[in-house]
């Protein structure tokens, strides 16, 4: 708890700062500071067509809405329990989120301590939330994405992928495979299947503990095909969550390893940013959706109190020379 004590001793950080003009390609800057004193640790991010951002704050259960002008408000706070309460295999959190562009609904993975609230939530644009499927206390629901009325959810502890009807209903195991499991000797609490995104008819999932990114075809009948290893992460780092550009390259955050890694379509990797660029526990990425913002990659820095030494949770923006792939679904 020493790190947590340090966090609570820090003063509040600066308010939102959004630049009026896009930077040059390759430029990175911090556009939003979050408050470590309030345990604001941004975990995941989605962006709608208007440029409105939604950020899950893992430790508090809040989903923060950030308007294009930088105005912040609380969309909803999910009932995960008191911050940093251990229940099941790890502490409680709101983790992955995804957006249904058709009606503006947000779907969120919630590792709540109360079994009645643990699982997948649907949140309407006006902030009304409901559980669409419960998931077991023995697992950790994490990365989530939507395709054709079905939600795919990575389970970071049980080492599998759940499938959940977006309209609500019983969760089922979509894939249980050795490539999704925690490898022997994995550090206690280190996640297995973590980030998850759909791209060109395949489910991509990072196995952080194994240092791999997997691709799983969706068969015509909706079942899972045979997974393949799309990439091995450099060194000992593991990918957390990620997003795709239009060419099929993906941009992985590595949380405690303090890097942003580009994974090319052929599986080769390139480190784009490090702690020297301001990364502090990077957890997820998302491309902008409107105009020139489509060339901007947004990066959440969770700065979790048990990993961070600088305690600077933030949202950063990296201007790239390529557009993000459309996440519309």
């Amino acid at each position: 708890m020493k790190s947590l004590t340090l966090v609570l001793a820090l003063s509040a950080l600066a308010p939102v700062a959004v630049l009026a003009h896009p930077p040059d390609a390759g430029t990175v800057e911090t556009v939003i500071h979050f408050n470590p004193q309030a345990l604001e640790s941004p975990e995941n991010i989605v962006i709608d067509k208007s440029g409105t951002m939604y950020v899950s704050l893992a430790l508090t259960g809040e989903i923060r809405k950030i308007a294009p002008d930088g105005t912040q408000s609380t969309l909803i706070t999910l009932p995960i329990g008191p911050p940093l309460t251990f229940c099941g295999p790890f502490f409680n959190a709101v983790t992955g989120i995804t957006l249904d562009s058709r009606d503006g609904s947000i779907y969120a993975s919630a590792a709540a301590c109360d079994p009645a609230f643990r699982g997948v939530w649907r949140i309407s644009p006006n902030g009304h939330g409901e559980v669409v499927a419960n998931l077991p206390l023995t697992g950790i629901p994490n990365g989530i994405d939507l395709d054709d009325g079905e939600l795919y959810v990575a389970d970071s502890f049980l080492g599998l992928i759940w499938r959940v009807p977006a309209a609500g209903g019983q969760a089922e195991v979509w894939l249980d495979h050795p490539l999704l499991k925690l490898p022997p000797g994995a550090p206690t609490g280190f996640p297995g299947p973590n980030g998850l995104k759909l791209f060109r008819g395949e489910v991509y999932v990072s196995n952080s503990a194994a240092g791999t990114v997997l691709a799983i075809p969706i068969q015509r009948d909706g079942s899972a095909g045979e997974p393949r290893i799309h990439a091995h992460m450099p060194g000992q780092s593991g990918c957390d969550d990620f997003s795709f550009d239009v060419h099929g390259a993906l941009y992985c955050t590595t949380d405690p390893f303090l890097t942003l890694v580009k994974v090319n379509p052929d599986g080769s990797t390139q480190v784009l940013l490090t702690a020297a660029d301001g990364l502090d526990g990077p957890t997820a990425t998302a491309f902008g959706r409107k105009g020139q913002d489509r060339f901007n990659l947004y990066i959440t820095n969770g700065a979790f109190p048990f990993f961070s030494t600088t305690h600077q949770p933030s949202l950063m923006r990296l201007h790239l020379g390529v557009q993000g792939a459309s996440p519309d679904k």
Side-chain angles (χ1 to χ4, degrees), residues 11-22:
S11 59
L13 296 178
V16 174
V18 179
L19 299 185
H21 303 287

Side-chain angles (χ1 to χ4, degrees), residues 58-326:
L59 303 182
T60 64
E62 180 186 353
I63 296 177
R64 182 76 56 85
K65 181 179 180 180
I66 304 168
D69 66 0
T71 303
Q72 298 189 37
S73 60
T74 298
L75 178 66
I76 193 173
T77 299
L78 300 181
I80 61 172
L84 292 172
T85 300
F86 277 76
C87 51
F90 208 51
F91 64 82
N92 54 346
V94 57
T95 53
I97 55 176
T98 192
L99 172 71
D100 187 340
S101 296
R102 296 170 299 180
D103 64 7
S105 296
I106 300 287
Y107 292 89
S109 294
C113 286
D114 187 332
F117 300 139
R118 194 179 186 94
V120 177
W121 284 70
R122 178 173 55 233
I123 301 102
S124 68
N126 66 4
H128 172 74
E130 60 179 339
V131 176
V132 297
N134 288 116
L135 292 173
L137 192 62
T138 51
I140 302 175
N142 204 333
I144 183 172
D145 208 354
L146 172 68
D147 181 64
D148 196 25
E150 301 285 351
L151 294 155
Y152 298 83
V153 185
D155 193 309
S156 293
F157 189 76
L158 294 179
L160 49 82
I161 297 174
W162 298 96
R163 184 168 63 181
V164 172
Q170 187 72 30
E172 63 176 346
V173 175
W174 185 68
L175 181 64
D176 188 353
H177 191 277
L179 288 176
L180 293 169
K181 301 307 179 185
L182 293 164
T188 301
F190 209 71
N194 198 340
L196 185 149
K197 293 289 187 295
L198 282 104
F199 185 73
R200 295 177 181 170
E202 294 186 297
V203 173
Y204 284 75
V205 60
S206 58
N207 184 334
S208 299
T212 56
V213 178
L214 309 177
I216 306 124
I218 301 175
Q219 308 280 59
R220 288 188 176 182
D221 63 359
S223 63
E226 184 65 22
R228 60 182 172 85
I229 297 177
H230 176 66
H232 289 276
M233 298 302 293
Q236 298 300 312
S237 65
C239 181
D240 191 331
D241 213 336
F242 52 90
S243 55
F244 283 91
D245 69 23
V246 291
H247 302 303
L250 59 90
Y251 298 80
C252 274
T253 54
T254 67
D255 200 351
F257 303 104
L258 302 175
T259 56
L260 172 70
V261 179
K262 179 182 179 181
V263 178
N264 296 304
D266 64 1
S268 61
T269 60
Q270 175 187 0
V271 176
L272 299 183
L273 299 175
T274 69
D277 300 294
L279 296 182
D280 189 355
T283 52
T285 62
F287 277 90
R289 302 288 310 282
K290 187 176 180 181
Q292 289 299 307
D293 201 36
R294 293 175 295 171
F295 293 87
N296 288 326
L297 183 72
Y298 291 85
I299 306 152
T300 51
N301 281 300
F304 288 102
F306 36 82
F307 288 142
S308 178
T309 59
T310 54
H311 308 297
Q312 297 290 315
S314 68
L315 181 67
M316 299 178 73
R317 179 171 60 199
L318 173 65
H319 188 62
L320 297 170
V322 62
Q323 296 181 46
S326 173

